[in-house]
Amino acid sequence: MGMDDKIGNVAEDAAGKVKEHTGRATDNERLEAEGRNDQAAANLKQAGEKVKDAFKS
């Protein structure tokens, strides 16, 4: 479960970056903000995974 979650978080972060850049290129503020939100969610999930890993050691 741990490695799958980490891969999913990285994929979500990458998708957020694509959305943000696409929104910026097309002057679509909603898409740009959605991309930033996706990145923030992925970063929070990654931080949670790091905390879980720290307690497993």
Side-chain angles (χ1 to χ4, degrees), residues 20-42:
E20 181 181 5
H21 290 289
T22 301
R24 192 175 297 147
T26 60
D27 202 30
N28 184 335
E29 291 178 9
R30 184 193 60 79
L31 187 60
E32 188 177 347
E34 188 176 317
R36 283 193 304 267
N37 287 338
D38 289 350
Q39 289 176 64

Side-chain angles (χ1 to χ4, degrees), residues 2 5-14 17 38-54:
D5 290 339
K6 290 177 185 178
I7 292 170
N9 294 339
V10 170
E12 184 176 359
D13 184 50
K17 288 179 182 179
D38 289 350
Q39 289 176 64
N43 287 335
L44 284 173
K45 290 176 185 177
Q46 288 173 348
E49 288 295 322
K50 288 180 182 179
V51 168
K52 284 195 286 186
D53 289 345

